Amino acid sequence: MNPSGLALHWKILIALTAGAVAGYFSTDVVIGSVPLVSVFEFIGQLFLNALKMLIVPLVASSIALGVAGLGNTDSLGSMGLKTAAFYVLTTTTAIVTGLIIVNLVQPGIVDGRPAGELLALTGNTDVLQEKLAGRGLGEIPQILLRAVPQNIIAAAAANEMLALIFFSAVFGYFVSQIEHALADTLYRFTSAVFETMLLVTQWV
């Protein structure tokens, strides 16, 4: 529904322009004792929180619906293999690219010395170094391992999207494998959740 007749992308462009202009001219504006920028920040945070609130139910319902709608083992298997291969390929490419660039550019090193020393930043980096130690292609199995969560509720609460996607895909597949009456009930429920979340997304 678009009562104004104006396309959504034009609304977004107008809003971005208006926001930039308002932000530029509101830097030093104070209403009472409240800076106008802090009001914008509060409203913006509400907006972002509302969007984040929708991620889990929207992604879960849409993927479960899509997989359940396939209803074909061969199609699902082919799609699953392609998806897994694509994920492994892009993850590997990202890791290798990062390692190459880090070794070539050496960020944080200025004239052979750590930038932290030049800037008198003496914070303890031992924890960070421990986390980075051993990172590389060996991290891929751990990433794939995290795709299968021990607790899907905890994974959803932590916004672990890979785990959520995996669970939703498995759920959708097995919905298509149970008897029709039960499958239809679950499919209609998931479809109702998805349609509702689309409307909430449009409202936000």
Side-chain angles (χ1 to χ4, degrees):
M1 296 179 64
N2 190 6
S4 67
L6 194 62
L8 180 60
H9 62 275
W10 287 116
K11 290 182 178 180
I12 293 174
L13 181 60
I14 292 171
L16 287 172
T17 304
V21 172
Y24 179 80
F25 289 104
S26 303
T27 304
D28 300 319
V29 177
V30 177
I31 301 176
S33 59
V34 180
L36 186 56
V37 172
S38 66
V39 176
F40 292 155
E41 183 180 1
F42 174 75
I43 297 174
Q45 191 60 53
L46 280 179
F47 175 69
L48 291 176
N49 286 353
L51 287 180
K52 292 177 182 178
M53 172 184 71
L54 304 173
I55 292 175
V56 169
L58 184 60
V59 170
S61 59
S62 63
I63 291 177
L65 270 181
V67 175
L70 289 175
N72 184 301
T73 305
D74 295 334
S75 297
L76 182 63
S78 175
M79 184 187 71
L81 287 175
K82 290 178 180 177
T83 301
F86 177 77
Y87 180 79
V88 171
L89 177 63
T90 52
T91 301
T92 303
T93 302
I95 292 173
V96 171
T97 302
L99 290 173
I100 292 174
I101 293 177
V102 165
N103 283 282
L104 289 177
V105 178
Q106 293 186 333
I109 303 297
V110 179
D111 295 329
R113 295 179 57 194
E117 293 181 6
L118 299 176
L119 297 174
L121 301 176
T122 57
N124 188 354
T125 60
D126 292 341
V127 176
L128 179 59
Q129 289 176 351
E130 289 178 5
K131 289 183 178 180
L132 293 176
R135 289 294 177 93
L137 296 180
E139 182 71 6
I140 295 177
Q142 293 301 317
I143 294 175
L144 296 178
L145 188 62
R146 288 197 294 270
V148 185
Q150 296 181 3
N151 186 327
I152 187 58
I153 303 299
N159 281 327
E160 295 179 6
M161 298 309 299
L162 182 60
L164 182 64
I165 290 171
F166 175 79
F167 175 83
S168 301
V170 171
F171 179 82
Y173 169 70
F174 284 103
V175 164
S176 69
Q177 302 303 304
I178 61 178
E179 63 177 274
H180 179 73
L182 296 176
D184 185 61
T185 299
L186 278 175
Y187 189 87
R188 288 167 61 86
F189 171 77
T190 308
S191 181
V193 171
F194 176 66
E195 294 295 334
T196 301
M197 295 316 301
L198 282 182
L199 289 177
V200 175
T201 302
Q202 293 176 6
W203 173 73
V204 170

